[in-house]
Amino acid sequence: MSEYQYYEFVAVDRPLTPAQQRELRALSTRARITSSSFVNDYQWGDLKGDPREWMERYFDAFLYLANWGTHRIALRLPVQVLSPDVVAEYCVGESACSWATRTHVIVDLHSEDEDGDEEYDGGGHLAAILPVRAELAAGDRRLLYLAWLLCVQGRELDEDEKEPPVPPGLRDLSGPLRALVDFLRLDPDLLAVAAETSRPLKEQTPSVAALSHWAKALPEPEKDAIVVRLLRGDDTHLRSELLARFHGTTPNEGTGGGRTVGDLLAAAGERWLRRQRLAREREAAERERRQRAAAAAREQHLNALTGREEQAWQQVTAMIKTKRPKEYDAAVALISDLKALADRDGDTEAFLQRVRQLREQHARKPSLLDRLDRAGLG
């Protein structure tokens, strides 16, 4: 099987400069490079660059997948809107790690599947997931908790380690978060038991009066700096940063994590067992329903044949005379129906006598006799 690797980088906050695009083009002659993206896939080669370095220098989002089962996604946010210390509380293993530069914090998530992927096309995944970056910038911590769960799923943490604060809204993930869960192949049972202590997500749309009161309390120099940043128009996260500061006074914080890694894994295992048992019960019930329906249809068919046995035998004779394989098959099927009817009505001996006569009459038709034998009409 040939190799397949897909790389996609996106610049969200600031477009790539012409000089940056030339730098990237020097590393790849066939990549699709625009002022906001770099996309390339490889059948036999590899990226001539370090995604970690590219995230620090150029891009705000990165997605990678390979046909041997590796999925990876990284997101970069300014430290003003996402504290590296908060991220470090959740990204604690190989499956979810983070690092910070002077200006940004990068969240890097990995998923491995030794069975590999059946579909290799990487297009579309990042577009579906990218809005989680804005959610994270606005103070939504669900992505970070999912990152921590990814480490739990990978058995990268001690079983007695306590979970971090559980953010609200885990039971009702947004579309982009659901796309992230699917891409990272997060265990649905683990996610379900983790979400049990997650409170409903409260609407955080502040009133005009509350915003006005908060804004009036800001020092004048700080207000002036905010206006200058707004007028410059190069700070895409100014609103998120200010709202995060505002909500810091009225937080929608997660609940304290009281469960251990071992608790979550055990509960997820029990939930999986329950799902498997219920699935088996549903399959058994459906199988029984189909069997009852088939038996009822069979009985109805035999009832329709009752009283028409002689006519059916004449039809068998006519089909055999054609000497066509399909007609032989139809004749054997009709004889099988006659056998079932005879067994049901206690006329088995008369039926067997009729079959013996039929076999003697057509003893020189081995194809027909073979069909009768395989149908148990010896």
Side-chain angles (χ1 to χ4, degrees):
M1 180 177 64
S2 64
E3 293 183 355
Y4 176 83
Q5 298 182 82
Y6 176 87
Y7 291 85
E8 182 175 0
F9 296 84
V10 174
V12 180
D13 294 345
R14 290 182 178 85
L16 299 172
T17 66
Q20 289 174 325
Q21 293 181 58
R22 287 193 296 271
E23 291 172 6
L24 294 170
R25 177 58 69 194
L27 296 171
S28 176
T29 58
R30 57 182 294 271
R32 301 180 290 282
I33 301 175
T34 70
S35 61
S36 62
S37 66
F38 175 104
V39 179
N40 206 357
D41 52 18
Y42 300 88
Q43 297 288 344
W44 301 106
D46 201 353
L47 183 71
K48 294 181 175 64
D50 182 359
R52 182 184 176 103
E53 179 185 350
W54 286 20
M55 285 297 293
E56 293 178 1
R57 295 183 57 187
Y58 304 114
F59 297 106
D60 300 304
F62 162 56
L63 182 141
Y64 169 82
L65 63 82
N67 67 339
W68 51 79
T70 299
H71 285 189
R72 179 183 179 188
I73 188 163
L75 300 171
R76 182 182 74 167
L77 281 166
V79 293
Q80 294 93 337
V81 298
L82 183 60
S83 166
D85 292 337
V86 172
V87 175
E89 187 177 2
Y90 292 89
C91 297
V92 292
E94 295 181 2
S95 297
C97 63
S98 66
W99 72 94
T101 66
R102 183 178 57 84
T103 57
H104 291 86
V105 58
I106 296 97
V107 179
D108 197 356
L109 309 178
H110 297 251
S111 171
E112 300 289 344
D113 181 3
E114 294 180 357
D115 294 333
D117 293 320
E118 295 181 2
E119 299 181 2
Y120 304 150
D121 183 17
H125 287 295
L126 185 54
I129 296 171
L130 188 56
V132 301
R133 182 174 179 268
E135 296 175 359
L136 186 57
D140 189 334
R141 299 293 181 257
R142 287 179 292 179
L143 180 147
L144 296 180
Y145 187 86
L146 295 176
W148 182 81
L149 274 187
L150 200 61
C151 297
V152 174
Q153 179 174 306
R155 305 301 197 274
E156 298 167 16
L157 306 176
D158 294 335
E159 290 201 354
D160 58 355
E161 186 169 334
K162 292 291 186 68
E163 66 180 336
V166 183
L170 284 177
R171 301 188 192 191
D172 187 22
L173 297 180
S174 66
L177 280 173
R178 179 57 59 185
L180 178 70
V181 166
D182 293 340
F183 181 73
L184 294 174
R185 297 171 289 216
L186 192 58
D187 180 11
D189 296 304
L190 182 60
L191 176 56
V193 298
E196 290 176 355
T197 62
S198 177
R199 298 178 309 203
L201 189 64
K202 295 180 181 179
E203 181 62 41
Q204 285 193 298
T205 303
S207 66
V208 174
L211 287 174
S212 177
H213 178 76
W214 180 80
K216 288 178 181 178
L218 292 174
E220 288 298 326
E222 190 169 355
K223 293 181 184 179
D224 294 341
I226 290 172
V227 172
V228 170
R229 290 171 61 187
L230 177 63
L231 292 175
R232 283 170 55 90
D234 58 358
D235 196 331
T236 59
H237 292 287
L238 179 57
R239 181 176 182 273
S240 295
E241 179 185 339
L242 294 175
L243 283 175
R245 289 179 58 187
F246 171 81
H247 288 305
T249 64
T250 56
N252 188 9
E253 297 292 344
T255 56
R259 298 169 296 183
T260 66
V261 169
D263 293 335
L264 291 171
L265 290 174
E270 292 173 1
R271 188 177 189 275
W272 181 85
L273 289 174
R274 288 196 302 271
R275 283 200 306 110
Q276 297 302 308
R277 185 182 68 252
L278 291 174
R280 289 194 298 270
E281 292 173 354
R282 286 193 296 269
E283 289 174 3
E286 176 61 18
R287 187 163 54 250
E288 183 179 352
R289 185 197 65 78
R290 291 195 299 267
Q291 290 172 349
R292 289 198 303 268
R298 179 67 170 164
E299 187 67 16
Q300 185 177 3
H301 177 70
L302 294 180
N303 289 339
L305 191 59
T306 301
R308 299 177 54 252
E309 292 89 342
E310 192 58 37
Q311 182 180 350
W313 281 112
Q314 292 175 7
Q315 187 177 353
V316 166
T317 299
M319 287 187 287
I320 292 175
K321 284 182 179 179
T322 66
K323 298 182 180 180
R324 292 196 293 266
K326 288 186 177 180
E327 293 297 315
Y328 280 179
D329 292 335
V332 171
L334 184 53
I335 296 172
S336 296
D337 289 342
L338 290 166
K339 179 180 185 301
L341 182 62
D343 291 342
R344 188 193 72 175
D345 296 343
D347 296 331
T348 303
E349 186 57 39
F351 168 80
L352 293 176
Q353 179 63 28
R354 198 68 178 258
V355 170
R356 283 193 290 270
Q357 293 173 357
L358 181 73
R359 293 179 69 95
E360 292 172 0
Q361 183 180 355
H362 300 286
R364 300 182 66 178
K365 294 185 175 70
S367 178
L368 173 64
L369 297 180
D370 180 63
R371 285 170 166 79
L372 291 171
D373 290 339
R374 284 188 279 116
L377 299 170

